[in-house]
Amino acid sequence: MSTRPSEELAHALNRRRFLGVAAGTTAAAIAGTAAAPGAAAAPDADWERARWCRPAVPPGRLGIQLYTLRDQVGTVGFGKVFDALERYGYDQVEYAGYTQGNGPITLPQLRRLARDHGLRAIGSHVAYHVADPAGYSFATSLEQVLDDAEALDLPHVGTWDGPFRYGSTVDGVKRASAEFNAYGAAARRRGMRFYQHNHGNEFGFCTDDPTVRIYDLMLAETDPDLVFMEMDIYWAYTGVHRFSVRPDGTPAPFDPLDYVTADPQRFPLFHVKDGEHDEASQDGYHMVDVGDGDIDYQRFIGTVTGGRYRKYHNWLVERDDAVDPATNPAGSFTTARRSATHLHRLRP
């Protein structure tokens, strides 16, 4: 078995290091008293055409996780990054640390800067727990995390960590889920929602009961009124690649989209990142700009936004390796621009 760390593990370690440096359509009127045969069906046909011609991502709901642009935030600062995002047609940003710009910036300044560029701050990623008792995480500094989110007027604040603080056993996942419930209750008292962002390992199985999928257990053990989910669609499909068979060899197929259609309101946020199939990778994919890969976003986004909650969900571009010239020589700004262009053009 290869000792090379998986793409997912490398991403998690890099993200932890990074976070460590910063705390309609109008129907035409029909005149006349008589109609030709079949005319009564025309408005329905017009409505149906309009429905399928509208953007898959509703206006105002396209965002980006700023981890994608961490190199640019760290060199040119938030202002120039926000200026670019405004030109690319983004509506929202999700933070991954608050102080990576050139020079100091206060949270009220950051809040105004985003608003001045027409960007709504939709959420933020914070570590679930850290080893340092004085470190910045939900477990060690919950009230400070919520104070900061409140200062930025965030409707959501969440963690990119999985429920693995106490291991991958049934009891360990239940303990972590209980803590997520507590963070969710604290966030709700402030008028915010707590959320958890998945990687691939959440779709694996508990080590002491391989019949139990970790993601299913976490969903069951967390209160749907307190703990919401940000599905990272790319990592969910790597989970399909890795965990569609149980350790004993029995089939365990699943479709990430089914989780969302079963409970749409549990998933206010999504990470939209794309991947090309790559059988040489443990995860089954390697990352590319949105629109260049094999994940069927026309189906996924079109299905989610085709129902009654069309304007409920938020779609956030992310590419974890966008700053790596070896895998993305065009650079992170190009990733942001090309991904936005594709999603603006996407139709159900």
Side-chain angles (χ1 to χ4, degrees):
M1 183 175 183
S2 172
T3 59
R4 181 175 64 85
S6 71
E7 182 182 1
E8 177 180 346
L9 177 59
H11 158 68
L13 293 173
N14 287 337
R15 187 184 286 270
R16 186 176 292 278
R17 285 194 291 270
F18 175 76
L19 290 175
V21 306
T25 300
T26 301
I30 301 176
T33 58
D44 290 337
D46 289 344
W47 181 89
E48 188 69 14
R49 281 195 296 272
R51 184 168 76 92
W52 290 110
C53 289
R54 68 188 181 182
V57 177
R61 297 292 173 172
L62 179 61
I64 189 167
Q65 163 54 255
L66 291 173
Y67 185 74
T68 307
L69 296 159
R70 59 195 180 277
D71 60 332
Q72 301 295 340
V73 174
T75 54
V76 303
F78 282 107
K80 291 186 178 180
V81 169
F82 289 169
D83 181 66
L85 296 178
E86 183 180 19
R87 287 187 282 109
Y88 299 159
Y90 283 97
D91 311 298
Q92 303 170 340
V93 291
E94 181 183 39
Y95 290 107
Y98 307 131
T99 59
Q100 281 76 36
N102 288 337
I105 186 170
T106 67
L107 297 183
Q109 287 172 333
L110 186 56
R111 176 179 171 178
R112 285 195 302 271
L113 191 60
R115 288 186 172 180
D116 287 347
H117 288 87
L119 297 168
R120 182 189 186 199
I122 194 69
S124 181
H125 279 194
V126 178
Y128 165 22
H129 62 94
V130 291
D132 181 359
Y136 192 78
S137 73
F138 282 97
T140 56
S141 50
L142 175 61
E143 294 307 316
Q144 185 63 57
V145 168
L146 296 179
D147 285 346
D148 292 347
E150 198 169 47
L152 288 164
D153 196 25
L154 300 180
H156 308 86
V157 59
T159 184
W160 52 270
D161 271 322
F164 304 116
R165 182 181 186 184
Y166 306 105
S168 298
T169 63
V170 170
D171 181 67
V173 174
K174 287 183 175 182
R175 290 178 65 188
S177 297
E179 292 184 344
F180 288 174
N181 283 331
Y183 306 151
R188 187 168 71 171
R189 288 193 291 270
R190 303 280 198 106
M192 293 177 284
R193 288 174 168 181
F194 170 81
Y195 63 95
Q196 191 271 343
H197 166 279
N198 65 275
H199 289 84
N201 285 334
E202 286 90 331
F203 297 96
F205 303 96
C206 292
T207 53
D208 59 339
D209 188 346
T211 68
V212 177
R213 195 182 299 278
I214 292 167
Y215 200 70
D216 296 345
L217 180 60
M218 180 174 61
L219 286 174
E221 291 292 320
T222 52
D223 186 332
D225 293 327
L226 299 177
V227 178
F228 295 83
M229 316 309 291
E230 177 180 64
M231 178 176 281
D232 187 303
I233 301 166
Y234 171 92
W235 287 118
Y237 279 102
T238 72
V240 172
H241 175 81
R242 296 172 60 194
F243 301 116
S244 287
V245 177
R246 293 188 179 90
D248 65 1
T250 58
F254 70 98
D255 184 340
L257 183 58
D258 290 342
Y259 285 105
V260 185
T261 57
D263 193 358
Q265 292 181 282
R266 195 83 192 266
F267 296 84
L269 306 169
F270 293 89
H271 272 192
V272 184
K273 63 166 62 90
D274 214 341
E276 287 185 335
H277 286 296
D278 183 358
E279 293 302 321
S281 167
Q282 175 182 318
D283 295 317
Y285 294 87
H286 66 262
M287 293 180 194
V288 294
D289 292 347
V290 179
D292 290 345
D294 296 313
I295 296 176
D296 189 350
Y297 276 115
Q298 184 179 45
R299 168 181 173 264
F300 195 103
I301 299 178
T303 298
V304 176
T305 63
R308 62 183 294 192
Y309 300 108
R310 171 172 169 75
K311 296 183 179 181
Y312 173 79
H313 303 96
N314 304 278
W315 306 91
L316 309 173
V317 168
E318 187 182 41
R319 180 172 174 180
D320 305 351
D321 65 351
V323 304
D324 186 349
T327 57
N328 188 33
S332 59
F333 270 145
T334 298
T335 287
R337 176 180 54 78
R338 296 185 72 245
S339 298
T341 297
H342 177 77
L343 289 170
H344 279 306
R345 293 174 177 171
L346 193 66
R347 297 295 182 269

